[in-house]
Amino acid sequence: MQQWVAEVAYDTHSGPKRAMESYYLPTIDDVRAQIIKNGGYPLWIRPHERSQIERILARSSWWQVQLLRGIQFRSTSTSPGVALWKIIQAETSPMRQNILSPAREALARGMGVIDALKALRIFDHSTIAILAASERANKLQEGIPHAIHSITQKKKNSRAIAGTMSWLAFDVITIVQSLFWGKGMILKWFRDNPPTDPAELEKYTTVVSRLELTWDVLIYLSFATGAFLAWTVASFWLNKGKDDWPTARVVRKIPLVGGYLRDLGFSDSMMAAARMMRGLVPINDTLKQSSGATTVPEVSAYWQNASKELERGVLLGSALDRAPLTRNERLELASLSDMGQVATVLESIAEMRQAAAKTKHSLIVWVAFGLTGVFLTIAFGSAIYALTVMNMSMDSMMGGLMEGAI
């Protein structure tokens, strides 16, 4: 499914009129057929592309929270789908109308509220999983506060990481800037003022070469790290809502970060599964929905394999008892059979995984501090080392002057 924008001409009593319309359909042929069915003539059709301002607004946590709160308040007297439709119809801002148009088209085609929210492509998989689990249990209004809490909590974590990285980046950029702009001038002075003693000259040349190599490594390493971080942030922002992409696969291979994302994936999917079980959603549907609650392939494969084992007649506890769960988690699941008990254990695992994710989050911050400290220590140490090299040259120069004076 994709959003399309088309200019359509209609025959009226006062002559032909043009109109700009949007459609949410699979292919351009479907759009053309729908226009003809409505009695119009397509002049041109193109895929809809959001402007950068629309991307920023649509993917901001503030916009997501406001939209969910609007659905929650309006769904007290009507269904969530009708509540979302009323929000879209009441919107007067052209920019927000454009953002909400995929949901409007999805609802107009008879899709549910979860499909309409997915069409917006502004919520991450964990938020959609919470909403879908609550909707399947006929408790969407109760699930929206949990989704809002998840959004705000992730925003706090992102702010904490962003604040820490910004402060560290400021220190690194300041040092690297000094090295980048001062390296040429300092090395030029070293080369223009070598010692006159041949023995000292050889040692002096070796020291200057090592100093230049150290500064080059620091500068290139900082530029490469900065480029990688900028590429990663931009890629995650632009690909928000997608299942998988190359940058995400690269990030998951980083040991500590990969474990952090895996814990978050299990926490979100386990909580969604527990919510659906308490809502008496069929277990097969619960496992399939849980597999789509995360973008981590390892976690998604866990639920898919459990679903396959359950279809083969394996007991629920045994089907869930598999890697990559820890030994303690598997021992708790292996002997279970009661659905209510399973939901309780899944909630417990979700809470433990959330706690583990927080621990890894703190550890990532401290590792970043440590690596930055090592970098700054080497940078400051090389600067102090440069002063000793300068003293070598100055001592040689002063010695030459004293000999000339004698």
Side-chain angles (χ1 to χ4, degrees):
M1 301 294 286
Q2 184 177 355
Q3 185 184 0
W4 305 84
V5 179
E7 185 177 11
V8 185
Y10 291 98
D11 287 330
T12 64
H13 295 292
S14 58
K17 289 187 177 181
R18 295 184 177 184
M20 296 291 296
E21 298 180 352
S22 62
Y23 298 87
Y24 189 68
L25 294 167
T27 65
I28 191 172
D29 294 330
D30 295 325
V31 177
R32 189 176 293 108
Q34 185 65 37
I35 293 173
I36 296 174
K37 182 180 178 180
N38 295 338
Y41 301 91
L43 300 179
W44 55 260
I45 305 172
R46 62 173 175 82
H48 169 69
E49 295 180 359
R50 288 176 178 168
S51 64
Q52 192 61 33
I53 296 178
E54 290 176 352
R55 290 176 183 270
I56 295 174
L57 176 61
R59 295 178 180 178
S60 66
S61 58
W62 175 85
W63 166 259
Q64 297 174 16
V65 170
Q66 293 301 316
L67 180 60
L68 292 179
R69 283 177 177 169
I71 296 174
Q72 181 185 9
F73 295 152
R74 286 172 173 80
S75 60
T76 55
S77 57
T78 185
S79 67
V82 175
L84 178 58
W85 180 263
K86 288 182 178 181
I87 293 174
I88 297 172
Q89 294 297 102
E91 186 57 64
T92 58
S93 171
M95 181 181 297
R96 292 179 180 176
Q97 287 178 349
N98 201 25
I99 294 172
L100 292 171
S101 57
R104 178 175 60 82
E105 294 296 329
L107 292 173
R109 290 175 55 82
M111 297 182 179
V113 63
I114 301 301
D115 292 325
L117 293 176
K118 287 181 179 179
L120 294 175
R121 294 185 65 182
I122 62 175
F123 298 101
D124 58 25
H125 280 69
S126 61
T127 304
I128 290 293
I130 294 172
L131 297 173
S134 303
E135 195 266 343
R136 292 297 301 272
N138 295 320
K139 298 179 180 179
L140 180 59
Q141 188 178 5
E142 298 178 8
I144 288 178
H146 295 281
I148 292 175
H149 175 73
S150 175
I151 293 172
T152 54
Q153 188 64 39
K154 289 181 179 179
K155 183 179 179 181
K156 290 180 181 179
N157 294 339
S158 300
R159 282 182 174 179
I161 293 179
T164 302
M165 295 304 177
S166 298
W167 179 255
L168 297 177
F170 174 78
D171 291 339
V172 173
I173 290 173
T174 303
I175 299 300
V176 170
Q177 187 178 16
S178 301
L179 292 176
F180 183 78
W181 295 109
K183 183 188 73 169
M185 180 180 63
I186 295 174
L187 292 178
K188 183 177 182 301
W189 190 93
F190 286 160
R191 292 192 176 97
D192 292 342
N193 299 277
T196 55
D197 187 4
E200 292 184 359
L201 178 61
E202 182 179 358
K203 179 181 178 182
Y204 179 85
T205 303
T206 302
V207 169
V208 172
S209 299
R210 291 176 179 175
L211 183 63
E212 182 179 11
L213 177 61
T214 301
W215 285 352
D216 286 339
V217 170
L218 291 176
I219 291 172
Y220 289 129
L221 179 62
S222 62
F223 279 127
T225 304
F228 173 76
L229 292 176
W231 169 63
T232 301
V233 172
S235 179
F236 270 82
W237 178 266
L238 295 175
N239 292 284
K240 188 174 183 180
K242 293 184 179 180
D243 292 335
D244 197 18
W245 64 96
T247 309
R249 290 193 288 270
V250 172
V251 172
R252 285 196 299 268
K253 291 181 180 180
I254 303 175
L256 193 58
V257 177
Y260 170 71
L261 295 176
R262 184 168 57 251
D263 286 340
L264 285 181
F266 269 117
S267 176
D268 294 335
S269 59
M270 289 278 183
M271 190 61 71
R275 188 177 299 277
M276 283 185 283
M277 287 182 181
R278 293 195 182 279
L280 302 180
V281 176
I283 186 61
N284 287 333
D285 293 339
T286 297
L287 297 181
K288 291 178 181 178
Q289 289 283 344
S290 300
S291 67
T294 176
T295 57
V296 181
E298 188 177 3
V299 179
S300 181
Y302 165 81
W303 293 104
Q304 293 173 2
N305 293 332
S307 178
K308 292 178 182 177
E309 289 294 312
L310 196 65
E311 292 175 355
R312 293 176 52 243
V314 178
L315 295 177
L316 178 60
S318 300
L320 295 175
D321 174 21
R322 62 182 56 255
L325 293 182
T326 64
R327 183 175 179 273
N328 292 334
E329 294 169 346
R330 296 180 65 175
L331 287 175
E332 291 186 25
L333 289 169
S335 59
L336 295 179
S337 59
D338 181 71
M339 293 292 290
Q341 194 177 8
V342 172
T344 302
V345 173
L346 292 182
E347 288 176 348
S348 176
I349 294 175
E351 292 175 358
M352 289 189 295
R353 288 283 181 166
Q354 185 67 33
K358 289 182 179 180
T359 302
K360 288 185 175 66
H361 174 271
S362 300
L363 189 56
I364 290 172
V365 172
W366 283 111
V367 168
F369 268 114
L371 293 177
T372 306
V374 172
F375 183 90
L376 296 179
T377 300
I378 296 174
F380 279 119
S382 63
I384 296 173
Y385 189 56
L387 293 177
T388 62
V389 177
M390 188 177 294
N391 288 335
M392 290 173 58
S393 178
M394 294 296 293
D395 291 342
S396 178
M397 292 173 60
M398 294 299 296
L401 291 175
M402 293 297 292
E403 291 178 0
I406 294 173

